[in-house]
Amino acid sequence: MLGWYPGHMNKARRQITEALPEIDVVIEVLDARLPYSSANPMLAELTRHKPVLKILSRADLADPERTREWVAYFDAQPDMRALAVTTTNARELKRIPRLCHELAGAVRADRDVRVMVMGIPNVGKSTLINGLAGKSIAKTGNEPAVTKRQQKVRIGGHVALIDTPGVLWPKIEDQASAYRLAASGAIRDTAIDYVDVAVVAAAELARRYPEALKARYKLKALPGYQANPEAARVEADGPLRVDLLAVAGFDGHAILADIAGRRGGLRPGGEVDLHRGAEVLLHELRDGKLGRLSLETPADIPPEPVIEPDGADDAEPPHDA
């Protein structure tokens, strides 16, 4: 479980809550490579009564087949549409004002459709706004949390945008999502051990895109992984953690060591510099050098927890007839 809550994000949450009553449509910007993990559940709770347009940004880096699955999944939800775009492609962005009008429904002719743009840090939100405005208005950067305050932008098509700072949620409960976010760069590299992130990413890529991984790093084999039978005992004093390498079925440590050895990470005496391997893998994954890859599909969405009614645990079992 990963937890934080910088002060400016707490302030952004209050600003969003205060502005929402005047908003017609919410745009949530997601990373097309991980649309579930990059969706803030806190924002979903805040905006549950508003129509939502899910923008899957960086579609040029994502697996096109997986992206089509995500668009179909979101389009099937009530009061929701989805559009996959490359945020620097002006032609693709032209559909957004029309979709906002469709979602907003009847709006007075003398005013714009009011749209709030949301998203976690570093998903391309500011780049999207600049593309819609046709000029540089929102500050962009490759580090999380560049936007620090709300700003209003009027774009074509009678749409007024309110930009908001990127907001992370207080705790990421899903361990797999935390590692996917870290691998994509949405979480600062200091939030989770850098090598651990690369180890899990290597195992996941071996499961989802084995040929792309082998081709990029000239790997001859992708070694399998067996769960450590002592894992539960090792963490007996704290909460049990999912063995993500066992879920993937591949030995991310061995794969990362192989990558490091082939990319300048072999030290004198044969010692392997795993941090060097992590730098290579994560930078190239984020830059799209392994090809168009997605780190999750709709099938990876965890099932909703079953909430027992009050008193269910105290109920007597039925008697045999």
Side-chain angles (χ1 to χ4, degrees), residues 101-128:
H101 277 274
E102 291 176 6
L103 283 164
V107 173
R108 282 202 333 256
D110 62 343
R111 76 165 177 86
D112 294 334
V113 173
R114 299 168 184 151
V115 179
M116 179 173 282
V117 186
M118 300 179 176
I120 67 171
N122 204 27
V123 290
K125 189 162 57 68
S126 296
T127 305
L128 172 70

Side-chain angles (χ1 to χ4, degrees), residues 26 33 36 43 46 56-57 74 84 88 98 115 117 126 171 177 179 201 220 232 236 238 241 264 273 277 281 285 318:
V26 170
R33 298 166 297 177
Y36 169 74
L43 296 182
L46 290 174
L56 307 187
S57 72
F74 288 127
T88 55
R98 178 174 58 81
V115 179
V117 186
S126 296
K171 290 183 180 179
S177 287
Y179 276 89
K220 295 180 180 179
R241 302 180 67 196
D273 183 354
L281 179 62
L285 173 63

Side-chain angles (χ1 to χ4, degrees), residues 244-293:
L244 296 176
L245 299 191
V247 173
F250 290 91
D251 188 342
H253 288 94
I255 296 169
L256 190 64
D258 201 349
I259 293 172
R262 294 168 183 272
R263 290 294 192 89
L266 195 59
R267 294 174 175 171
E271 182 183 358
V272 175
D273 183 354
L274 286 180
H275 195 276
R276 169 60 184 167
E279 287 181 334
V280 170
L281 179 62
L282 293 179
H283 289 172
E284 295 194 349
L285 173 63
R286 295 168 186 176
D287 291 343
K289 292 182 179 178
L290 281 82
R292 299 180 67 176
L293 312 178

Side-chain angles (χ1 to χ4, degrees), residues 207-229:
R207 175 165 75 102
R208 298 177 189 273
Y209 299 99
E211 297 308 315
L213 189 63
K214 288 193 291 186
R216 179 67 187 176
Y217 301 111
K218 298 180 172 57
L219 306 178
K220 295 180 180 179
L222 298 174
Y225 176 83
Q226 295 296 321
N228 175 10

